[in-house]
Amino acid sequence: MNPFALLADVILWVVYALVMAALAAVLFSWCRSLRMRGGTKGSNGVPQTGIKAVAILLPLVCGVITFAMASSTPIVANGITYDNVMWLLLSDMLIYTILAMLIVAVLAVLFGMSGISRRIAKRWK
């Protein structure tokens, strides 16, 4: 048996464990924030409802768009043909979604660092 096949299995199980740990951390922090906040609204003029809506809708909309753009062309890797249409579409969707969201994050950081938002806020005062 190929020793690299065993290594690939180990890497996959580590990735599965990390995904489950991340989901557990998200659920724990979400429940804790709900308990700590007590259902009160935010303050300091922060549009919490808008931020929540964007944080939920942006990945969903991006996922739907990238799923529609994904390719289901069979892939040959290491002499094995992968031709399951659903997994091909999902893997392409995840790759495109991650790239799109990374680009949006970089642009948001650059926008925040540029000071344009502060200049716009000063004009409207």
Side-chain angles (χ1 to χ4, degrees):
M1 180 166 198
N2 188 356
F4 293 114
L6 292 175
L7 181 62
D9 287 342
V10 169
I11 291 172
L12 282 173
W13 283 109
V14 168
V15 168
Y16 294 151
L18 289 174
V19 167
M20 291 300 147
L23 287 174
V26 165
L27 287 174
F28 172 76
S29 66
W30 181 66
C31 292
R32 184 167 183 236
S33 69
L34 285 177
R35 195 171 354 137
M36 299 283 270
R37 191 170 12 144
T40 60
K41 296 282 183 185
S43 60
N44 298 328
V46 177
Q48 287 183 347
T49 307
I51 292 172
K52 284 180 191 176
V54 168
I56 291 171
L57 291 176
L58 182 66
L60 288 176
V61 169
C62 189
V64 168
I65 291 170
T66 56
F67 186 81
M69 292 173 33
S71 170
S72 62
T73 306
I75 297 173
V76 178
N78 296 330
I80 301 170
T81 302
Y82 296 97
D83 57 358
N84 188 329
V85 174
M86 191 61 173
W87 284 116
L88 290 168
L89 289 173
L90 283 175
S91 62
D92 266 5
M93 177 196 76
L94 290 174
I95 291 169
Y96 293 151
T97 301
I98 289 168
L99 287 175
M101 293 185 76
L102 279 173
I103 290 169
V104 168
V106 167
L107 291 175
V109 168
L110 291 175
F111 179 75
M113 289 175 57
S114 70
I116 294 172
S117 61
R118 288 186 292 273
R119 284 185 230 133
I120 292 172
K122 283 182 184 178
R123 273 198 191 133
W124 289 100
K125 281 188 177 183

